[in-house]
Amino acid sequence: MTSRKYLASLLVLALMGLFTNAIAHEGIGGHLARMWEVTPMADKSKEFNEAFKKHIEWRKENKDPWGWSVYYATTGKGINSVYVRSVGHHWADFDAYRDSEFSKKASEHWNENVDPYVKYYDSSIDETDNDLHYWPEGSNYRYFWVTSFYLKPGHGGKARQAVVAVTKELEAAGRESPNVWLWDQTGKHAPVFSIVVARDDWAGFDWPDKGVRTTLVERVGEKKADAMMADFFEHVAHQESQIYARDMDMSYEAAN
């Protein structure tokens, strides 16, 4: 396999097919998300898990104004950590939440009951790409395949153009898959452009009868299809991929 076709196949894996019966998330809040990675002490995992569960229940009982989803990494790095993510925010929401009475009480509860078992914290903010955000209505997926592309400095715009060109062809062909593209707003490397592909179960990640590349070839021909997908990687320094599982029992919606 040539290097161009190999790189194109990586983008095919990331895209996993795109989408007709899906809707953009509009009018449901902002496009920012806040995520925390919390790693317990190696010898305190049991105590941490018990304290973390009780803290989540406390938040539910005290009507947390933000909803949070709890995830665990199933592959790669961070498999001993817990990931907690809240979506649908504007920048001003972070101020309002930080200054709220609930947040102050929640911090006190966390620091008293959970923090003693924590080894490491990390936090990040990402933003949904408004034009590359498609999700079936009423979805509640369990598994999320996240592929992050660490772009070369100054190449964010051109990388995005390449993705848009491919997704438009797949959309016209009637491809269908719940997914969302995200831009990291914080971190050591910028820009980072990530695609999240969601599935109900592991079997959902299996290849469809007709692959993405085959569909694209049918639309524009083999030479142009490979060139369109490989063009994206002209702007990529490196990439990494990981699958996360959502804890359905620990996750909860914002209080009304």
Side-chain angles (χ1 to χ4, degrees), residues 46-96:
K46 181 179 179 180
E47 292 88 343
F48 170 83
N49 290 332
E50 292 175 353
F52 179 73
K53 183 176 182 180
K54 290 179 180 178
H55 179 74
I56 292 296
E57 292 302 321
W58 182 93
R59 284 179 172 268
K60 293 178 183 178
E61 293 171 0
N62 286 271
K63 302 187 183 303
D64 191 343
W66 281 17
W68 294 89
S69 289
V70 176
Y71 303 91
Y72 296 93
T74 63
T75 62
K77 62 183 181 181
I79 58 174
N80 295 321
S81 301
V82 59
Y83 299 82
V84 188
R85 191 165 188 267
S86 186
V87 302
H89 304 297
H90 300 281
W91 287 107
D93 295 339
F94 299 137
D95 294 315

Side-chain angles (χ1 to χ4, degrees), residues 9-247:
S9 69
L10 290 178
L11 184 56
V12 167
L13 179 63
L15 290 171
M16 293 288 286
L18 299 168
F19 39 71
T20 49
N21 297 327
I23 58 171
H25 274 203
E26 298 292 347
I28 61 168
H31 293 277
L32 295 172
R34 181 72 180 267
M35 186 167 79
W36 289 89
E37 176 186 356
V38 185
T39 304
M41 298 176 184
D43 59 343
K44 297 293 183 180
S45 292
K46 181 179 179 180
E47 292 88 343
F48 170 83
N49 290 332
E50 292 175 353
F52 179 73
K53 183 176 182 180
K54 290 179 180 178
H55 179 74
I56 292 296
E57 292 302 321
W58 182 93
R59 284 179 172 268
K60 293 178 183 178
E61 293 171 0
N62 286 271
K63 302 187 183 303
D64 191 343
W66 281 17
W68 294 89
S69 289
V70 176
Y71 303 91
Y72 296 93
T74 63
T75 62
K77 62 183 181 181
I79 58 174
N80 295 321
S81 301
V82 59
Y83 299 82
V84 188
R85 191 165 188 267
S86 186
V87 302
H89 304 297
H90 300 281
W91 287 107
D93 295 339
F94 299 137
D95 294 315
Y97 191 74
R98 177 202 61 206
D99 297 335
S100 68
E101 285 302 314
F102 172 84
S103 182
K104 295 174 183 177
K105 292 178 180 179
S107 294
E108 292 175 358
H109 190 274
W110 175 276
N111 290 335
E112 180 179 349
N113 296 283
V114 188
D115 182 72
Y117 309 117
V118 175
K119 175 183 178 181
Y120 171 80
Y121 292 100
D122 194 13
S123 181
S124 61
I125 296 173
D126 61 71
E127 182 174 11
T128 298
D129 189 305
N130 291 347
D131 297 322
L132 294 169
H133 182 199
Y134 297 87
W135 215 257
E137 188 173 8
S139 60
N140 194 26
Y141 297 103
R142 184 175 181 184
Y143 293 97
F144 303 83
W145 193 329
V146 181
T147 303
S148 296
F149 300 98
Y150 294 78
L151 305 180
K152 298 173 184 178
H155 285 243
K158 291 182 178 179
R160 184 181 184 279
Q161 289 176 7
V163 171
V164 169
V166 172
T167 58
K168 282 184 176 179
E169 294 296 340
L170 296 176
E171 181 181 18
R175 298 294 303 192
E176 179 180 298
S177 177
N179 69 95
V180 57
W181 284 86
L182 307 172
W183 290 99
D184 280 14
Q185 301 297 301
T186 59
K188 296 180 181 179
H189 182 105
V192 180
F193 200 22
S194 303
I195 183 171
V196 182
V197 177
R199 294 291 186 267
D200 292 319
D201 49 35
W202 285 101
F205 291 121
D206 203 359
W207 289 98
D209 293 336
K210 182 185 292 187
V212 174
R213 181 176 179 276
T214 299
T215 301
L216 195 58
V217 168
E218 291 176 353
R219 290 281 305 168
V220 301
E222 183 173 12
K223 185 176 181 179
K224 184 176 179 180
D226 287 343
M228 287 176 66
M229 292 188 291
D231 175 54
F232 174 74
F233 285 93
E234 295 295 325
H235 314 294
V236 176
H238 68 278
Q239 68 276 332
E240 60 184 22
S241 183
Q242 200 157 342
I243 298 176
Y244 299 86
R246 182 170 181 249
D247 189 318

